Amino acid sequence: MSVLDLGGIRMSIRPALGRMPAWATRVVVVAALLTAWHLAVAGGLVSSLTVPAPLDCLRRLPGILGTAAFWSDAARSLRTTVEAFAAAAAIGVLAGALLTRLPVVARILEPYIVGAYAVPVVVFYPTFLVVFGLGTAPIVLTAFLMAVVPVLMTTMVALSELRPTHRKLARSLACTRWQAFRSILLPSALPLLLPGLKLGFVYAMAATVGVEFIVADAGLGFRIGELYRNFETVDMYVHILAMIAVAAGFNSLFNLLERVIRKDLA
Amino acid sequence: MTAWDRDPAARGDVVVDEVRMTYVSEGRTTVAIENASGTVRKGRFVSIIGPSGCGKSTLLDIVAGLTRPTSGQVRIGGESVTSPRRDFPMVFQDDSTLHWRTVLDNVALGLEIAGVPKAERRARARDILGVVGLRGFEHHRPRQLSGGMRQRVAIARALVMEPAMLLMDEPFGALDQQTRTLVGIELLRIWEETRTSVLFVTHDIREAVTLSDEVWVMSRRPSTILDVVHVDLPRPRDTDVLRSAQFEGYVGVLWDLIQAEVASAMREQERAAS
Ligand SMILES: Nc1ncnc2c1ncn2[C@@H]1O[C@H](COP(=O)(O)OP(=O)(O)OP(=O)(O)O)[C@@H](O)[C@H]1O
Ligand SMILES: [Mg+2]
């Protein structure tokens, strides 16, 4: 039995193919997708002008990984994402904690916070461009605004789900504020808090790349857009695959961190 | 002032002195406790029974120093209880174990908060786990235990503080009847071993008689302590004692006292609802 983690919603899946371990099943799935892709192109189902064959991408991969441009683009996107995420994490958690302590304010602001989820913040990007100029600032700001909402909301949910008995326990043990937070309240909030942060990172990365795609002077999103406009499909797909690898890598990193931080999963 | 209160330092008696508690919410004043007085003498097991909503939990919170009474006070050793005390630990009705900690670290929680070094607190927690019959479960997580075992973890977490008084608010209220009886018997054994002062809230008259030296019967709101029944059954309270006519006699006395209160409290609630 393995466990599938969907942003904190954990469900058990039976190994799909007989008694194979889950990781082997996953490798098979990826291999099957690649094969389907290859067959679709080789069989003429899709034109190799729109979608290149996977083997062509693979052949081109070392060439692109060898260029300084690729790494500087990747570094640029990553730095933007991390900056936006760090700000969203800090401000989202703090504001969430503050609003939980001020229920009256929270009730007044609630429709705006919930509504903020529905706003495609990207539409403000042109404004930010005009104000801050072409650079990372408008991208960081857009990505921050996208990421801060899920962090803020999950923080509020996590804190409001704290059991009254746990609060009373903290009081009856004469905990200081810090002790109550550190030993009882924070660990009991983590199962909801961490998936919120993970979601925040995903939003930050999606926003960064998406906005780079529109207008930027560097970054993976910018590069993919440029390659697209120049009909360099093979190179474009290599960049897309690299993007996916980076995103998946970060997701694994977060899952690993979650396991380290959340002692109850041990 | 009671006689015991005059020599408080010598004994760890806990004195509830003319405690009154009113709540004001939405402009309406509720007198939760009109007047409650009584003494839990050191090493005695005292139960509180009374109709639902009469202020049992409120009284326990006041004794624990979690709630300040509107007037009156609680004293131990002549000293007024005005804030939470680590030597007055509580056992709650709901499961209060911390699911991310092992059983051992759950039991050591209070000592950790009190700044006891790790090696010492673990050793003490291990000893107490033996007392509550959970030796061998040190490294389990609460979710691997039954509800009754989790309550014993909560009891161990309180006992490890070497309490001047143990406060229990319907600690078996969330358990099924069979588990409840078994954990009750376990508590009886633990208490006869440790002889800690206990203030124990319950709805279950038989449970109160089984465990207690004294049962305080609270009236409905605005509540007072209607009567104190001294349960002079021999200890250890083995099966013979618990099946004796004397035992049933105490149950009958308490039942008669509580019946009238519960009936009128229910009538009052129905009136308020309609
Ligand atoms: N924080 C509060 N604010 C206002 N009223 C309160 C508060 N806490 C308790 N009360 C009221 O005080 C009264 C006593 O409540 P308490 O919980 O102490 O009763 P109880 O005897 O423990 O009841 P139960 O048997 O149901 O546990 C109730 O009428 C309750 O509604
Ligand atoms: Mg109660």
Coordinates of all heavy atoms in Angstrom, one line a residue, chain A residues 163 165-166 168-169 171-176 179-180 183-185 187-189 191 262-266, chain B residues 61 66-67 84-86 88 90 92 94-101 109-110 112-113 141 143 157 169:
Chain A
R163 N -7.8 22.6 18.5 CA -8.8 22.0 19.4 C -8.8 22.9 20.7 O -7.7 23.2 21.3 CB -8.4 20.6 19.8 CG -8.3 19.7 18.5 CD -9.3 18.6 18.6 NE -9.4 18.0 19.9 CZ -8.7 17.0 20.4 NH1 -7.7 16.5 19.6 NH2 -8.8 16.5 21.6
T165 N -9.4 21.9 23.6 CA -8.8 21.2 24.7 C -7.3 21.4 24.7 O -6.7 21.4 25.7 CB -9.1 19.7 24.5 OG1 -10.5 19.5 24.3 CG2 -8.7 18.9 25.7
H166 N -6.7 21.5 23.5 CA -5.3 21.7 23.4 C -4.9 23.1 24.0 O -3.9 23.3 24.7 CB -4.8 21.6 22.0 CG -4.6 20.2 21.5 ND1 -4.5 19.8 20.2 CD2 -4.6 19.0 22.2 CE1 -4.4 18.5 20.1 NE2 -4.4 18.0 21.4
K168 N -6.6 24.7 26.2 CA -6.8 24.6 27.7 C -5.7 23.8 28.3 O -5.2 24.2 29.4 CB -8.1 23.9 28.0 CG -8.7 24.2 29.3 CD -10.2 23.8 29.4 CE -10.7 23.8 30.8 NZ -12.1 23.4 31.0
L169 N -5.2 22.8 27.7 CA -4.0 22.0 28.2 C -2.8 23.0 28.3 O -2.2 23.0 29.4 CB -3.7 20.9 27.2 CG -2.4 20.1 27.5 CD1 -2.5 19.3 28.8 CD2 -2.1 19.2 26.3
R171 N -2.9 26.1 28.8 CA -3.1 27.1 29.9 C -2.9 26.3 31.2 O -2.3 26.9 32.2 CB -4.5 27.7 29.8 CG -4.7 28.6 28.6 CD -5.4 29.8 29.0 NE -6.8 29.6 29.5 CZ -7.3 30.1 30.6 NH1 -6.6 30.9 31.4 NH2 -8.5 29.8 31.0
S172 N -3.4 25.1 31.3 CA -3.4 24.4 32.6 C -1.9 24.1 33.0 O -1.6 23.9 34.1 CB -4.3 23.2 32.6 OG -3.6 22.1 32.1
L173 N -1.0 23.9 32.0 CA 0.4 23.6 32.3 C 1.2 24.9 32.5 O 2.4 24.9 32.6 CB 1.0 22.8 31.1 CG 0.5 21.4 31.0 CD1 1.1 20.8 29.7 CD2 0.9 20.6 32.2
A174 N 0.5 26.0 32.5 CA 1.1 27.3 32.8 C 2.2 27.6 31.8 O 3.3 28.0 32.1 CB 1.6 27.4 34.2
C175 N 1.9 27.3 30.5 CA 2.9 27.6 29.4 C 3.0 29.1 29.2 O 2.0 29.8 29.3 CB 2.4 27.0 28.1 SG 2.3 25.2 28.0
T176 N 4.2 29.5 28.8 CA 4.4 30.9 28.4 C 3.8 30.9 27.0 O 3.5 29.8 26.4 CB 5.8 31.3 28.3 OG1 6.5 30.4 27.3 CG2 6.5 31.2 29.6
Q179 N 6.0 28.9 24.7 CA 5.9 27.5 24.9 C 4.6 26.9 24.3 O 4.7 25.8 23.7 CB 6.0 27.1 26.4 CG 7.4 27.3 27.0 CD 7.3 27.1 28.5 OE1 6.4 27.5 29.2 NE2 8.4 26.5 29.0
A180 N 3.5 27.6 24.5 CA 2.3 27.1 24.0 C 2.3 27.0 22.5 O 1.9 26.0 21.9 CB 1.1 28.0 24.4
S183 N 5.3 24.2 21.4 CA 5.1 22.8 21.8 C 3.7 22.3 21.5 O 3.6 21.1 21.3 CB 5.4 22.6 23.3 OG 6.7 23.0 23.6
I184 N 2.7 23.1 21.4 CA 1.4 22.6 21.3 C 0.7 23.2 20.0 O 0.2 22.4 19.1 CB 0.5 22.8 22.5 CG1 1.2 22.1 23.7 CG2 -0.9 22.4 22.3 CD1 0.6 22.4 25.0
L185 N 0.6 24.5 19.9 CA -0.2 25.1 18.9 C 0.4 24.9 17.5 O -0.3 24.5 16.5 CB -0.5 26.5 19.2 CG -1.1 26.8 20.6 CD1 -1.4 28.2 20.8 CD2 -2.4 26.0 20.7
P187 N 2.8 22.7 16.3 CA 2.7 21.3 15.7 C 1.3 20.8 15.4 O 1.1 20.1 14.4 CB 3.3 20.4 16.8 CG 3.9 21.4 17.8 CD 3.4 22.7 17.6
S188 N 0.3 21.3 16.1 CA -1.0 20.8 15.8 C -1.6 21.5 14.5 O -2.5 21.1 13.9 CB -1.9 20.9 17.0 OG -2.5 22.1 17.1
A189 N -1.0 22.7 14.2 CA -1.4 23.4 13.0 C -0.7 23.0 11.7 O -1.2 23.2 10.6 CB -1.2 24.9 13.2
P191 N -0.1 20.2 10.0 CA -0.7 19.3 9.0 C -1.5 20.1 8.0 O -1.7 19.7 6.8 CB -1.6 18.4 9.7 CG -1.1 18.3 11.1 CD -0.5 19.7 11.4
R262 N 7.1 17.3 10.2 CA 6.0 16.7 10.9 C 6.4 15.4 11.5 O 6.4 14.4 10.9 CB 4.8 16.5 9.9 CG 3.9 17.7 9.8 CD 2.8 17.4 8.9 NE 1.9 16.4 9.5 CZ 0.9 15.9 8.8 NH1 0.6 16.3 7.7 NH2 0.2 14.9 9.4
K263 N 6.6 15.4 12.8 CA 7.1 14.3 13.5 C 6.0 13.1 13.5 O 6.4 12.0 13.7 CB 7.5 14.6 14.9 CG 8.6 15.7 15.0 CD 9.2 15.7 16.3 CE 10.2 16.9 16.3 NZ 9.6 18.2 16.6
D264 N 4.8 13.5 13.4 CA 3.7 12.5 13.4 C 3.7 11.6 12.2 O 3.1 10.5 12.2 CB 2.4 13.1 13.7 CG 2.0 14.1 12.5 OD1 2.9 14.8 12.1 OD2 0.8 14.1 12.1
L265 N 4.4 12.0 11.1 CA 4.4 11.1 10.0 C 5.5 10.1 10.1 O 5.6 9.1 9.2 CB 4.6 11.9 8.7 CG 3.5 12.9 8.3 CD1 3.9 13.7 7.1 CD2 2.2 12.1 8.1
A266 N 6.4 10.2 11.1 CA 7.5 9.3 11.2 C 7.1 7.9 11.4 O 6.1 7.6 12.0 CB 8.4 9.8 12.4
Chain B
D61 N -12.4 24.8 36.8 CA -11.6 25.8 36.2 C -11.1 26.8 37.2 O -10.0 27.3 37.1 CB -12.3 26.5 35.0 CG -12.4 25.6 33.8 OD1 -11.8 24.4 33.8 OD2 -13.0 26.0 32.8
L66 N -7.6 28.6 36.2 CA -7.8 29.0 34.8 C -8.8 30.1 34.7 O -8.8 30.9 33.7 CB -8.3 27.8 33.9 CG -7.4 26.6 33.9 CD1 -8.0 25.5 33.0 CD2 -6.0 27.0 33.2
T67 N -9.8 30.2 35.6 CA -10.8 31.2 35.6 C -10.8 31.9 37.0 O -10.7 31.2 38.0 CB -12.2 30.5 35.4 OG1 -12.1 29.7 34.2 CG2 -13.3 31.6 35.3
P84 N -2.9 29.6 36.7 CA -2.7 28.2 36.6 C -1.5 27.7 37.3 O -0.4 28.4 37.4 CB -2.5 28.0 35.1 CG -3.2 29.2 34.5 CD -3.0 30.3 35.4
R85 N -1.6 26.5 37.9 CA -0.5 25.9 38.7 C -0.2 24.6 38.1 O -1.0 23.8 37.8 CB -0.9 25.7 40.1 CG -1.3 26.9 40.9 CD -1.9 26.5 42.3 NE -0.9 25.7 43.0 CZ -0.3 26.1 44.1 NH1 -0.6 27.2 44.7 NH2 0.5 25.3 44.7
R86 N 1.1 24.3 37.9 CA 1.6 23.1 37.3 C 1.3 21.9 38.3 O 1.3 20.8 37.8 CB 3.0 23.1 36.9 CG 3.3 24.2 35.9 CD 4.5 23.8 35.1 NE 4.7 24.9 34.1 CZ 5.6 25.9 34.1 NH1 6.5 25.8 35.1 NH2 5.6 26.8 33.2
F88 N -1.4 21.5 39.8 CA -2.9 21.2 39.7 C -3.2 20.8 38.3 O -3.9 21.5 37.6 CB -3.7 22.5 40.0 CG -3.8 22.8 41.5 CD1 -3.0 22.3 42.5 CD2 -4.8 23.6 41.9 CE1 -3.1 22.6 43.8 CE2 -5.0 23.9 43.3 CZ -4.1 23.4 44.2
M90 N -4.7 19.0 34.9 CA -6.1 18.6 34.6 C -6.1 17.4 33.6 O -5.3 17.3 32.8 CB -6.8 19.8 33.9 CG -7.6 20.6 34.8 SD -8.7 21.6 33.7 CE -9.9 22.1 34.9
F92 N -8.9 16.0 30.9 CA -10.1 16.5 30.2 C -11.0 15.4 29.7 O -10.5 14.3 29.6 CB -9.7 17.4 29.0 CG -8.7 18.5 29.4 CD1 -7.3 18.3 29.2 CD2 -9.1 19.7 29.9 CE1 -6.4 19.3 29.6 CE2 -8.2 20.7 30.3 CZ -6.9 20.5 30.1
D94 N -12.3 15.3 26.6 CA -11.9 15.0 25.2 C -10.4 14.5 25.3 O -9.7 14.8 26.2 CB -11.9 16.2 24.3 CG -13.2 16.9 24.3 OD1 -14.2 16.1 24.4 OD2 -13.3 18.1 24.2
D95 N -10.1 13.7 24.2 CA -8.7 13.3 24.1 C -7.8 14.5 23.9 O -8.0 15.3 23.1 CB -8.6 12.4 22.8 CG -7.2 12.0 22.5 OD1 -6.4 12.0 23.4 OD2 -7.0 11.7 21.3
S96 N -6.8 14.6 24.8 CA -6.0 15.8 24.8 C -4.5 15.4 24.5 O -3.6 16.2 24.7 CB -6.1 16.5 26.1 OG -5.7 15.7 27.2
T97 N -4.3 14.1 24.1 CA -2.9 13.7 23.8 C -2.5 14.4 22.5 O -3.3 14.8 21.7 CB -2.9 12.2 23.6 OG1 -3.8 11.8 22.6 CG2 -3.2 11.4 24.8
L98 N -1.2 14.6 22.4 CA -0.7 15.3 21.2 C -0.2 14.2 20.2 O 0.7 13.5 20.5 CB 0.5 16.2 21.6 CG 0.2 17.2 22.8 CD1 1.4 18.1 23.1 CD2 -1.0 18.1 22.4
H99 N -0.9 14.2 19.1 CA -0.8 13.1 18.2 C 0.6 13.0 17.5 O 1.0 11.9 17.0 CB -1.9 13.1 17.1 CG -1.8 14.3 16.2 ND1 -1.0 14.4 15.2 CD2 -2.5 15.5 16.3 CE1 -1.2 15.6 14.6 NE2 -2.1 16.3 15.3
W100 N 1.4 14.1 17.6 CA 2.7 14.0 16.9 C 3.8 13.6 17.9 O 4.9 13.5 17.5 CB 3.0 15.4 16.3 CG 3.0 16.5 17.3 CD1 4.1 16.9 18.1 CD2 1.9 17.3 17.7 NE1 3.6 18.0 18.9 CE2 2.3 18.2 18.7 CE3 0.5 17.3 17.3 CZ2 1.5 19.1 19.3 CZ3 -0.3 18.2 17.9 CH2 0.1 19.1 18.9
R101 N 3.4 13.4 19.2 CA 4.4 13.0 20.1 C 4.2 11.5 20.5 O 3.1 11.0 20.5 CB 4.2 13.8 21.4 CG 4.8 15.2 21.3 CD 4.5 15.9 22.6 NE 5.1 17.2 22.6 CZ 6.1 17.6 23.5 NH1 6.4 16.8 24.4 NH2 6.6 18.8 23.3
L109 N 5.4 16.0 28.7 CA 5.1 17.4 28.3 C 5.1 18.4 29.4 O 5.8 19.4 29.3 CB 3.7 17.4 27.6 CG 3.2 18.8 27.2 CD1 4.1 19.3 26.0 CD2 1.8 18.8 26.8
G110 N 4.4 18.2 30.5 CA 4.4 19.1 31.6 C 5.8 19.4 32.2 O 6.1 20.5 32.5
E112 N 8.6 19.0 30.6 CA 9.3 19.8 29.6 C 9.0 21.2 29.7 O 9.9 22.1 29.7 CB 8.9 19.2 28.2 CG 9.7 19.8 27.0 CD 9.2 19.2 25.7 OE1 8.9 18.0 25.6 OE2 9.0 20.0 24.8
I113 N 7.7 21.6 29.8 CA 7.3 23.0 29.9 C 7.9 23.6 31.2 O 8.3 24.7 31.3 CB 5.8 23.1 30.0 CG1 5.1 22.5 28.8 CG2 5.3 24.5 30.3 CD1 5.3 23.3 27.5
R141 N 2.5 6.0 19.1 CA 1.8 7.2 18.9 C 0.4 7.1 19.4 O -0.2 6.0 19.4 CB 1.8 7.6 17.5 CG 3.1 7.6 16.8 CD 3.7 9.0 16.9 NE 5.1 8.8 16.4 CZ 6.0 9.8 16.4 NH1 5.6 11.0 16.8 NH2 7.2 9.7 16.1
R143 N -2.4 7.6 18.2 CA -3.4 7.0 17.3 C -3.3 5.5 17.2 O -4.2 4.8 16.7 CB -3.2 7.6 15.8 CG -2.0 7.1 15.1 CD -2.0 7.7 13.7 NE -0.8 8.5 13.4 CZ 0.4 7.9 13.0 NH1 0.5 6.6 12.9 NH2 1.4 8.7 12.8
R157 N 0.2 11.9 32.3 CA 0.8 13.2 32.0 C 0.5 14.1 33.2 O 1.3 15.0 33.6 CB 0.2 13.8 30.8 CG 0.7 15.2 30.5 CD 0.1 15.7 29.2 NE -1.3 15.8 29.3 CZ -2.1 15.8 28.2 NH1 -1.6 15.7 27.0 NH2 -3.4 16.0 28.4
D169 N -12.2 16.4 34.8 CA -13.5 16.9 34.4 C -14.1 15.8 33.5 O -13.8 15.8 32.3 CB -13.4 18.2 33.6 CG -14.8 18.9 33.4 OD1 -15.8 18.2 33.7 OD2 -14.8 20.0 33.0

